[in-house]
Amino acid sequence: MHKTTSPGSARRALLGIAGAIGIASLIAGCAGGPAQPTGGADYTPPASDLAAEITYAFWDETQRAAIEANIEGFNEEYPNIAVNLDVTPWEGYWTKVQTQASSDTLPDLFWLNGPNFQLYASNGKVEPITSEVEGDYIDPANYPEGLVDLYNLDGVQYGVPKDFDTIGLWFNKAIFEQAGVEVPTDDWTWDDLSTAANGISEALSSQGIYGVAGGMDGQTTYYNTIFQAGGEVVTDGGKGSGYDTPEAQAGIQFWTDLIASGASPSIQQLTDTPADQWFTSGKVAMYYGGSWARTAVKESSVGAVADVAALPAGEEKAVVIHGVSNVVAANSKNKQAAQALQVYLASEKAQQQQGDLGAVIPAFNGTQQAFADSYPGVNLQVFLDQTAWAKPYPVSKNGGAWGAVETALLPDAFSGAVPVADATKDLATQMTDLLAKE
Amino acid sequence: MTTGSPGLRPVTFPAARAARGRGAGAEARARRRDGAWPWLFVLPLLTGVVLFYVWPIIQTFYFSFTEWGVFGGSSWTGIDNYVRLVQDPQLYLSLGNTLLYTGIVLLGVPIAVYLASLLNTPGLRFASFYRVLFFLPYIAMPTAIAMVWRIIFNGDFGILNYVLSFAGIDGPYWVSTAGFATVAVAIVGIWSSIGFSMIVLGAGLKNIPTEYYEASELDGASRWRQFRSITVPLLTPSIFFVVIITVIASFQMFDLLFAILGSQNPILPKSMSLVYFFYHAGFVTNERGYAASIAMIIFVIIGLVTLLQFRLQRRWVNVD
Amino acid sequence: MVLGVGGFLMAFPFLWQMIMSLSTNAEVQSVVPHFWPAELQWDNYVEVFERLPFLSQLRTSVLITIIRTGAQIVLCTLAGYAFARMRFRGRGIALAVILSILMVPSQAYLISQYQIVQNLGWLNTLIGIVAPGLFSAFGTFLMRTAFLNMPAELEEAARLDGASPVRTFWSVMLPLARPSISVLAITSALWSWNELLWPLLVTTYQEQMPLSAGLATLVGNKSTDYPVVMAASMLAMAPILILFIVLQRRVVDGLAFSGLK
């Protein structure tokens, strides 16, 4: 059979395409450069009969009910502003928002989180809330301090947190009883944890039960221990890496030791099966988990015997705090309406509603009681108490880049294949290079 | 029927365009057997393809020579991206993983041929039922299915290792060990595409005249002999099609890897496929210009492989 | 028999999925697999309807699938025939161009296509969702192969009888292509049905999203209600499964090669 595509014709096809580059470059060159953050006009609350249609984008379907309740309250003040809720699943949310930002079709109001915030803010895609703060419509003092700082870039505040989460030491009372070990208290230190975990593992290894489970999720595990050892992850105002310090290394070593002594499943096992699943299946006595695990734990088979304590202290007490913020798009065509919604959602009334409907911990100080009461018998209060010594989730403009290096290098440090000092040194070097490029 | 190679006549392109349309003059009709009809048949498709696909490729090609900002804005950097790419060990690693994956998935083709021919035996009871069963995987929603497979592959508690333990084999941690992960994903790849291959091959099998089988039976040929001498050779165009599509699809493998291993899996960097390498550069580390160059390299690689297959086709594909 | 074993292997994950869809989240998450739930949780299926605007998303999915499949059948069959059986200047180049779009990672098209659709004003419209998918290189290649497989004698006979190319195509070759058209229809329908990322990008109203996107919203960032996802997935699979069962008879009953008579 003859060939319909000879190499010659295919090559000609490609050359033909290449020949169109000239035109393409002219057109592509008009893609525009990063815009500067616009100061924006001073915010004043719009008239209550303002008519507008705005889009509010977020990713968490489980919070939809609470948000709809908020919108209802908002519409009592502004009946003619129609809010369209655009829920995009987590896996597609960032691709979508990035695409929209590239063509300036961002939703009027949308969620940003710590790791992504700086990218959008530094490229002028987010409207600052300076005028709203000056007009006393939003008061940053009402929200956890470390978290408010997360949404501040170069001295300009772009939003306030709408919720927060911290990390706690979830534990299984039944396993402790079975092993004959004392349950954790809120004053535990690293040594206390280590002793207990080893004790449990030794006693119950025949049942395949471990003392504690770590893993590769920095937010719940090693970021916390690094802070607790007195170290930092990102230093120098976002220019340096804190990994190459004895403190950070101690934070990593903590987990390495636990794995080495058999108190924790191996890193490989934890990759295959995440820590929270070990816990909810009753295979591990303790794990470092977020406040968001509350529902999963409650409905799991260990729901009746679970409880939570504050994270054990290293050199100091510390915990990672993170939360989402509502931000207004800088190029929004309905800026005033969007800002009105932003202000409303940050108000105590709306935040209280969020708390009562239970999906997240609202950020406004004093509205969190409903959360604390939502799991009788379990001391959820520790998640709130720990905000006193909370450190914000480590971020930079392009966190994804050095996050990938962490994922590549740290498992070997945890498993002991590479000495912690070497791995962290390597990590720090690569991370600093990446941070310099931002 | 063989025809000569296309387009070696001195007729020029602009003339062909001018002759397009129903009112083509007798002159144009005299020049070519089919006149303007072919273009009428092809143009709607071609227009759409050029607008929605070729244009983006051109854009990507352009941007591969720049440093492309996340939100637009680019600065020309010449061949820097390509120089970096050629020196990047990830490229070769991901190429290796992709080749391994493709190789394993291709093993599914002979299986599909065999199964398709089994399914085609005349008078098979429950043929429709089997057909539906085999096609089920192709219908599945990827998100949900990946979850199920992840559970099956679980190192400590998964079904697969449980079954293997009966054979005395200590199953590995499929999803968290570099080499095995690729194999695991490939198994799912075969699982989900066998049904499709069988359908295409089934359609091809329908075109083999039953007279050939009847004649050979009269000559006393065994089933296996029939399979080897009649079925397979006459099926080669369909097999070729299935192979080409399987190879291209395997080279494009990405979603499956992502879904089964999980986005925070430490071995992802080591088990990257080519397209995942592209995605990582473009959407995770936000180096869009670099990602564009990766896309172009992928294009070249797949193009070469496909070209190779087209060349080899004259050796083994029989076309009427 | 071989087919039986094979069939079981194929279906096994689905059986598992069905079991999962009837379990509680705790049972699913438990690392030691539960082979059968303590109680059949039919509630999960009900919850799918509560969490998603299932029916309007179903409608969207159906519309998208019909439009795309229809367009692909028409465009690809026409083009496939031309590439296989017609001679024209630039045929090689055109085919190479069309095939080459398969060789670029599909994510590379996303942003460019988004901007094109945006410039055409098609964001948040049905046509915006459907547009890029109307044109299939794979479908063209499939139909070309199908037409290449057909004996040339039929066509030549028609030409000798004075039939125009269109007539030849319509009355002679097209009927023979039915099995392959069915294959194209099935693959095209499937792909449209399951497509996720593109519809997600171009729509912002949940009712306008297809089922695949709706399903994805059930998968959370930090936690997922697995049984509901499984239930939704089973419900979403049902229409396509029915379509396939109907169509595959046509493939089976498709004309075998007997046209020379």
Side-chain angles (χ1 to χ4, degrees):
Chain A
M1 177 184 134
H2 75 286
K3 292 194 308 298
T4 53
T5 48
S6 64
S9 68
R11 211 172 292 133
R12 269 180 286 147
L14 287 175
L15 282 176
I17 291 173
I21 293 302
I23 308 170
S25 54
L26 277 177
I27 300 176
C30 302
Q36 294 311 304
T38 54
D42 278 347
Y43 172 73
T44 50
S48 59
D49 59 352
L50 174 67
E53 196 180 318
I54 58 178
T55 306
Y56 179 25
F58 57 97
W59 63 74
D60 195 350
E61 179 67 28
T62 58
Q63 292 189 37
R64 176 177 261 266
I67 292 179
E68 279 172 349
N70 281 164
I71 304 291
E72 259 178 57
F74 175 70
N75 279 138
E76 280 167 23
E77 279 180 42
Y78 296 101
N80 294 327
I81 300 185
V83 182
N84 170 44
L85 299 181
D86 177 15
V87 186
T88 309
W90 171 254
E91 64 179 269
Y93 184 80
W94 298 108
T95 313
K96 186 169 182 178
V97 173
Q98 210 184 82
T99 310
Q100 289 171 322
S102 300
S103 50
D104 281 330
T105 47
L106 276 172
D108 303 288
L109 190 69
F110 61 104
W111 283 7
L112 276 184
N113 64 7
N116 288 282
F117 161 70
Q118 288 192 8
L119 179 64
Y120 289 82
S122 61
N123 279 296
K125 300 294 175 185
V126 183
E127 181 74 15
I129 59 170
T130 334
S131 59
E132 292 167 30
V133 171
E134 279 171 7
D136 265 340
Y137 301 107
I138 296 184
D139 184 1
N142 285 327
Y143 314 90
E145 193 184 322
L147 206 44
V148 171
D149 287 341
L150 204 58
Y151 292 101
N152 185 310
L153 186 67
D154 297 333
V156 179
Q157 191 71 31
Y158 289 88
V160 286
K162 83 162 203 36
D163 55 47
F164 70 83
D165 46 63
T166 53
I167 316 298
L169 182 70
W170 290 91
F171 62 92
N172 182 324
K173 295 184 283 205
I175 296 182
F176 274 87
E177 214 178 291
Q178 211 186 349
V181 177
E182 295 268 330
V183 292
T185 66
D186 292 337
D187 302 311
W188 264 21
T189 63
W190 280 9
D191 287 336
D192 294 326
L193 179 87
S194 189
T195 320
N198 279 306
I200 293 176
S201 287
E202 276 168 33
L204 300 177
S205 60
S206 56
Q207 296 180 38
I209 295 184
Y210 290 85
V212 69
M216 276 305 296
D217 181 12
Q219 183 180 5
T220 50
T221 59
Y222 54 90
Y223 286 157
N224 294 279
T225 51
I226 288 180
F227 286 133
Q228 286 161 4
E232 287 183 299
V233 178
V234 181
T235 62
D236 238 352
K239 298 277 178 307
S241 167
Y243 273 104
D244 195 16
T245 57
E247 290 86 16
Q249 286 163 2
I252 304 286
Q253 190 73 41
F254 175 75
W255 296 105
T256 313
D257 292 339
L258 284 170
I259 292 178
S261 68
S264 162
S266 70
I267 247 315
Q268 173 134 70
Q269 285 175 298
L270 287 168
T271 307
D272 223 64
T273 315
D276 57 331
Q277 273 196 293
W278 285 89
F279 184 75
T280 52
S281 312
K283 292 277 173 199
V284 81
M286 302 177 274
Y287 91 107
Y288 280 41
S291 49
W292 60 80
R294 168 201 55 169
T295 316
V297 172
K298 190 166 167 202
E299 291 175 359
S300 74
S301 55
V302 303
V305 296
D307 201 346
V308 68
L311 290 184
E315 293 296 313
E316 55 187 77
K317 292 208 245 201
V319 76
V320 171
I321 189 172
H322 180 248
V324 162
S325 174
N326 287 315
V327 298
V328 174
N331 285 318
S332 163
K333 303 208 173 46
N334 301 297
K335 213 178 280 194
Q336 215 187 8
Q339 285 173 317
L341 183 57
Q342 187 182 34
V343 166
Y344 180 81
L345 290 174
S347 70
E348 185 172 355
K349 177 171 167 222
Q351 290 274 292
Q352 183 71 47
Q353 218 174 10
Q354 289 253 310
D356 293 338
L357 286 167
V360 284
I361 308 179
F364 202 99
N365 293 337
T367 57
Q368 295 98 358
Q369 194 56 39
F371 172 79
D373 296 335
S374 62
Y375 193 167
V378 171
N379 188 14
L380 292 182
Q381 186 68 28
V382 298
F383 288 112
L384 307 174
D385 293 339
Q386 290 185 98
T387 55
W389 51 84
K391 303 259 169 94
Y393 185 86
V395 295
S396 72
K397 285 195 188 113
N398 193 4
W402 51 263
V405 184
E406 283 179 353
T407 314
L409 295 178
L410 285 179
D412 284 338
F414 288 132
S415 68
V418 173
V420 172
D422 294 342
T424 52
K425 203 188 193 76
D426 197 2
L427 174 53
T429 321
Q430 291 192 37
M431 191 170 153
T432 318
D433 285 341
L434 289 168
L435 286 170
K437 281 198 217 162
E438 283 181 7
Chain B
M1 161 183 99
T2 57
T3 58
S5 59
L8 286 182
R9 301 185 222 188
V11 178
T12 58
F13 220 59
R17 283 188 175 273
R20 176 180 8 132
R22 286 178 196 245
E27 187 193 29
R29 223 175 265 137
R31 279 208 196 110
R32 253 178 317 287
R33 276 174 38 185
D34 294 320
W37 289 118
W39 283 105
L40 210 61
F41 276 49
V42 169
L43 220 45
L45 183 75
L46 207 51
T47 323
V49 165
V50 168
L51 175 64
F52 284 104
Y53 293 94
V54 177
W55 175 242
I57 295 183
I58 296 177
Q59 275 192 314
T60 309
F61 183 63
Y62 169 72
F63 281 117
S64 68
F65 293 106
T66 69
E67 194 167 313
W68 192 7
V70 183
F71 299 126
S74 57
S75 51
W76 187 264
T77 56
I79 60 168
D80 283 359
N81 285 328
Y82 288 100
V83 171
R84 176 178 163 200
L85 184 57
V86 170
Q87 296 172 338
D88 191 341
Q90 278 291 29
L91 174 65
Y92 304 101
L93 184 60
S94 52
L95 182 59
N97 285 327
T98 309
L99 284 173
L100 175 64
Y101 175 80
T102 307
I104 299 180
V105 175
L106 275 178
L107 288 179
V109 174
I111 300 178
V113 172
Y114 179 58
L115 287 174
S117 68
L118 274 184
L119 206 52
N120 200 43
T121 46
L124 179 69
R125 290 184 316 165
F126 305 125
S128 298
F129 175 65
Y130 282 121
R131 206 166 276 118
V132 171
L133 265 189
F134 277 98
F135 204 60
L136 268 183
Y138 203 63
I139 303 183
M141 286 232 153
T143 323
I145 273 303
M147 281 183 199
V148 177
W149 275 104
R150 184 136 203 230
I151 296 179
I152 294 179
F153 278 123
N154 189 300
D156 286 321
F157 310 105
I159 287 284
L160 184 59
N161 282 356
Y162 185 63
V163 167
L164 285 178
S165 68
F166 286 135
I169 307 177
D170 195 14
Y173 284 102
W174 293 98
V175 170
S176 47
T177 321
F180 286 109
T182 311
V183 174
V185 179
I187 292 178
V188 181
I190 297 184
W191 175 81
S192 56
S193 61
I194 258 197
F196 167 73
S197 304
M198 283 170 65
I199 293 284
V200 173
L201 292 168
L205 280 172
K206 284 289 160 202
N207 277 333
I208 300 179
T210 44
E211 294 88 40
Y212 291 176
Y213 291 110
E214 287 160 11
S216 68
E217 241 176 74
L218 286 176
D219 285 346
S222 72
R223 281 266 287 265
W224 174 244
R225 189 72 212 275
Q226 282 181 327
F227 182 70
R228 250 183 52 212
S229 313
I230 305 177
T231 314
V232 174
L234 287 179
L235 201 51
T236 44
S238 300
I239 298 182
F240 178 67
F241 176 79
V242 167
V243 168
I244 290 258
I245 292 296
T246 305
V247 168
I248 292 184
S250 301
F251 268 83
Q252 292 257 16
M253 192 269 295
F254 162 65
D255 301 39
L256 207 54
L257 185 66
F258 208 59
I260 294 182
L261 293 193
S263 55
Q264 287 203 313
N265 197 320
I267 59 158
L268 259 184
K270 299 186 200 118
S271 351
M272 264 194 201
S273 66
L274 275 175
V275 177
Y276 186 79
F277 180 38
F278 161 79
Y279 172 83
H280 187 80
F283 292 93
V284 175
T285 56
N286 289 323
E287 300 168 291
R288 304 247 280 225
Y290 190 52
S293 64
I294 298 177
M296 290 292 102
I297 291 288
I298 295 180
F299 174 76
V300 167
I301 293 178
I302 300 184
L304 285 176
V305 170
T306 311
L307 218 52
L308 189 67
Q309 289 178 293
F310 268 98
R311 285 210 112 130
L312 286 180
Q313 133 194 275
R314 62 159 58 134
R315 296 252 212 101
W316 62 282
V317 177
N318 315 307
V319 172
D320 198 20
Chain C
M1 199 173 72
V2 176
L3 281 180
V5 172
F8 175 72
L9 286 177
M10 292 289 125
F12 176 67
F14 288 98
L15 295 176
W16 193 280
Q17 189 177 346
M18 181 163 301
I19 293 175
M20 276 171 75
S21 72
L22 292 171
S23 317
T24 64
N25 206 4
E27 287 166 336
V28 168
Q29 294 254 36
S30 141
V31 285
V32 181
H34 282 119
F35 286 107
W36 196 256
E39 259 178 53
L40 292 181
Q41 308 275 344
W42 295 103
D43 284 359
N44 290 327
Y45 283 89
V46 176
E47 206 173 318
V48 174
F49 286 92
E50 282 171 18
R51 301 245 237 145
L52 300 175
F54 194 82
L55 288 176
S56 55
Q57 288 185 344
L58 180 67
R59 191 180 135 262
T60 310
S61 281
V62 170
L63 275 178
I64 296 175
T65 303
I66 292 180
I67 296 178
R68 272 204 180 141
T69 306
Q72 281 194 12
I73 291 180
V74 170
L75 293 177
C76 295
T77 311
L78 285 176
Y81 178 68
F83 281 119
R85 290 297 192 213
M86 291 179 161
R87 306 172 53 195
F88 55 100
R89 175 97 187 160
R91 176 170 76 168
I93 297 184
L95 186 64
V97 167
I98 290 179
L99 265 188
S100 66
I101 70 176
L102 290 173
M103 303 180 195
V104 176
S106 46
Q107 294 80 6
Y109 295 114
L110 280 181
I111 298 190
S112 300
Q113 283 179 341
Y114 181 83
Q115 288 178 334
I116 294 173
V117 165
Q118 183 202 354
N119 288 330
L120 287 168
W122 287 348
L123 280 184
N124 273 319
T125 62
L126 191 62
I127 184 166
I129 302 180
V130 173
L134 295 174
F135 312 98
S136 167
F138 165 79
T140 309
F141 190 42
L142 176 68
M143 294 316 297
R144 174 180 171 268
T145 305
F147 285 117
L148 279 176
N149 280 353
M150 293 179 196
E153 293 79 23
L154 272 177
E155 196 190 356
E156 283 180 0
R159 292 261 176 104
L160 284 175
D161 280 349
S164 74
V166 177
R167 194 72 224 228
T168 317
F169 171 72
W170 186 260
S171 315
V172 181
M173 305 303 275
L174 196 54
L176 284 179
R178 278 227 284 246
S180 298
I181 292 185
S182 296
V183 174
L184 177 58
I186 293 173
T187 29
S188 170
L190 254 179
W191 170 73
S192 298
W193 192 259
N194 280 342
E195 200 198 16
L196 176 59
L197 201 47
W198 175 252
L200 213 54
L201 279 187
V202 295
T203 56
T204 51
Y205 294 90
Q206 232 196 356
E207 296 73 23
Q208 276 181 356
M209 289 190 190
L211 222 41
S212 51
L215 190 73
T217 54
L218 293 176
V219 179
N221 171 21
K222 299 278 192 201
S223 64
T224 305
D225 194 349
Y226 287 95
V228 177
V229 172
M230 296 297 153
S233 176
M234 299 245 88
L235 284 174
M237 250 174 65
I240 278 285
L241 193 56
I242 297 173
L243 178 72
F244 175 69
I245 294 179
V246 165
L247 267 184
Q248 59 115 10
R249 280 186 209 281
R250 297 198 102 219
V251 176
V252 172
D253 300 344
L255 292 171
F257 177 83
S258 59
L260 270 185
K261 303 287 160 52

